[in-house]
Each structure stands twice: as C-alpha cells, then as structure tokens.
Amino acid sequence: MEAIKEGFKKLADGGLRKWLLLAAVLGVALFWLSGVFGNGQKEPAAGFSVSDYRAATQKDLERLLAQIEGAGKTRVLLTMENSAEYVYLENGTTKTKEIQPRIRGVLVLCEGGNDPVTIGRVTEAVTKALDISTAKVCIEKLTE
C-alpha cells in the first residue's frame, strides 16, 4: 500500500503531464475492458435466414392482428423482395450495418375481412407496423 501511495505522490509532484498520461492509460484500459466484456448486445447470428425472419414477422403479425376488434382468427403471408444485406468498411472485415430484407407484399386473411371498418383497421395496423404503403397490403375474409 505504501508503494502505491509513493507512486501517486511522485505523480502529483510530476505535474499535469503525468496526470494526463495516467488518464490516457486508464482510458485505453477501460476501452479494452469494454471490448472484452461487451455491452450485452449480441451480433446477429451468422446463419441469418430470410425465411426465419419472414416466419417470425408473420407470426407476430398474426398474433397482433387477431387482437384488433372485428378481425377474429387471422392468417398472414409475407412476400420478401430481397435477402439481408451487410455493409462493410473498405477493409472488408468490419460490418457497419445490416439492412433487413424488404417486404414486397402482405396478404391478411381474417374472419372480419368482409367488413370495411375491420379492413381499414387491419390495413392501417399492417402499414404502420411494417412501414409499407397500402398498395402492398391485401385483406380478405378467412373461410375455414
């Protein structure tokens, strides 16, 4: 403990330059530790598949749309325009962003698909949730 106190005393006697050097070393150490321990965020799985993304989105939409008043039992079909795209820096190894596949169209079959009010509610929910135009959404009556 005495050695540490002596070290700090020498730093204090050395002036501002030594304090700045110590701060820089501590900053680098903290930066390194953050990379080692991470921040809780995980990289997307290397085996990302458009079909998995589509299936998960369809399931989420079915669950949510069925809760809209008048919709009743619901089935959803999504068509995708492209696959996932990855943008890398010039070095080719550092990924800067991931572009999710675009949704080409949505078909919603629901028990209330013949009621104009329900069609309007479902259409609005789908267009807002997926950020697509109404031209890409088709709502029909489910007959089972």
Side-chain angles (χ1 to χ4, degrees):
M1 194 66 159
E2 283 298 315
I4 295 173
K5 285 182 182 179
E6 287 296 317
F8 279 117
K9 192 178 270 188
K10 285 181 184 177
L11 276 176
D13 294 339
L16 182 62
R17 222 170 73 186
K18 288 185 179 179
W19 280 107
L20 290 175
L21 178 63
L22 176 64
V25 169
L26 286 174
V28 169
L30 288 173
F31 181 73
W32 180 80
L33 285 174
S34 72
V36 169
F37 293 109
N39 59 0
Q41 296 177 343
K42 296 184 178 179
E43 284 287 317
F48 175 85
S49 110
V50 175
S51 61
D52 290 344
Y53 174 75
R54 182 181 46 145
T57 305
Q58 285 177 172
K59 184 177 178 182
D60 288 344
L61 276 175
E62 284 178 4
R63 183 177 49 81
L64 294 171
L65 295 176
Q67 296 177 28
I68 292 176
E69 184 180 342
K73 195 176 198 179
T74 306
R75 297 283 181 259
V76 175
L77 174 68
L78 296 177
T79 55
M80 309 305 282
E81 189 170 301
N82 59 346
S83 63
E85 296 177 39
Y86 303 100
V87 179
Y88 293 90
L89 292 177
E90 286 183 17
N91 66 13
T93 59
T94 306
K95 182 169 49 170
T96 59
K97 69 178 178 176
E98 176 180 344
I99 301 170
Q100 294 294 336
R102 287 199 179 107
I103 295 173
R104 175 187 258 169
V106 181
L107 171 61
V108 178
L109 302 176
C110 62
E111 291 176 330
N114 59 344
D115 177 28
V117 174
T118 302
I119 291 171
R121 289 178 181 154
V122 171
T123 301
E124 185 171 355
V126 170
T127 58
K128 299 288 189 220
L130 300 177
D131 192 26
I132 60 175
S133 73
T134 57
K136 294 183 176 190
V137 180
C138 178
I139 314 293
E140 294 291 330
K141 179 161 179 57
L142 175 67
T143 56
E144 275 191 48

